[in-house]
Amino acid sequence: MAESVVLDPVDLRLLRLLQNDARTTYRDLAAQVGVAPSTCLDRVTRLRRSGVILGHRLELDPAKLGRGLQALLSVQVRPHRRELVGPFVERVRALPESLTVFHLTGPDDYLVHVAVADMADLQRLVLDEFTARREVARVETRLIFQRWDCGPVLPPSPTAQTG
């Protein structure tokens, strides 16, 4: 398990601000948290080096790219062996429809978040890319009506750790 990093209140404020808008300038960040821009740069650099900040991503709207239907595919792989699951995961990650792949415990082995053009495209994806694979024993499909982002992701508060 990854080791956690000790963060002070200034670090936490910086992370909150950057999670809301990763394009915020160091000057603006510094003004909002009450430190000098050079201090802000040093702190963000330290957060990157320590692995707290993993990167910056551009978020796209799948619907505006012709993929207006999103679904979650629960996939059971049998037998669940490393020599089968490695290539399976790489194939799923390479699909242009795949947004996120989760490896799970429980009756399903994977949860795959996909974005497709329409129901016919979803049916094609499930039949041609999932159930056609020898190692896929079962796929359940759930349509996504609406999605809400949560966050920001911050460490548990001290009261949550002791309670």
Side-chain angles (χ1 to χ4, degrees):
M1 186 169 178
E3 195 172 311
S4 63
V5 176
V6 177
L7 304 171
D8 67 16
V10 173
D11 293 330
L12 294 174
R13 283 254 336 184
L14 287 169
L15 292 172
R16 276 190 197 96
L17 293 166
L18 286 169
Q19 283 188 86
N20 290 329
D21 184 0
R23 296 175 301 167
T24 305
T25 66
Y26 290 116
R27 182 182 313 226
D28 290 343
L29 285 171
Q32 291 182 58
V33 299
V35 298
S38 59
T39 301
C40 181
L41 174 62
D42 290 344
R43 283 177 173 262
V44 172
T45 300
R46 181 180 52 81
L47 292 167
R48 278 195 190 102
R49 284 190 184 135
S50 66
V52 172
I53 296 176
L54 297 176
H56 305 275
R57 292 183 178 88
L58 180 66
E59 186 175 352
L60 304 175
D61 183 345
K64 294 202 169 135
L65 298 172
R67 297 182 183 276
L69 181 65
Q70 293 186 41
L72 296 173
L73 307 179
S74 299
V75 182
Q76 191 176 71
V77 174
R78 292 293 175 257
H80 194 180
R81 292 195 319 251
R82 189 173 303 277
E83 64 269 11
L84 291 177
V85 300
F88 171 77
V89 169
E90 290 311 309
R91 175 65 187 135
V92 171
R93 290 184 67 209
L95 294 171
E97 298 88 355
S98 294
L99 300 176
T100 311
V101 180
F102 299 94
H103 191 191
L104 309 172
T105 63
D108 296 316
D109 300 310
Y110 296 94
L111 184 65
V112 183
H113 180 191
V114 299
V116 294
D118 52 29
M119 287 295 264
D121 196 25
L122 179 60
Q123 181 181 27
R124 176 208 51 80
L125 178 70
V126 170
L127 293 175
D128 295 347
E129 300 294 345
F130 286 89
T131 60
R133 295 187 62 92
R134 254 187 346 200
E135 70 273 23
V136 173
R138 186 178 58 80
V139 176
E140 284 187 20
T141 304
R142 290 172 180 82
L143 298 179
I144 298 173
F145 291 136
Q146 195 166 359
R147 176 187 143 212
W148 294 270
D149 287 326
C150 302
V153 176
L154 295 173
S157 65
T159 55
Q161 292 175 341
T162 60

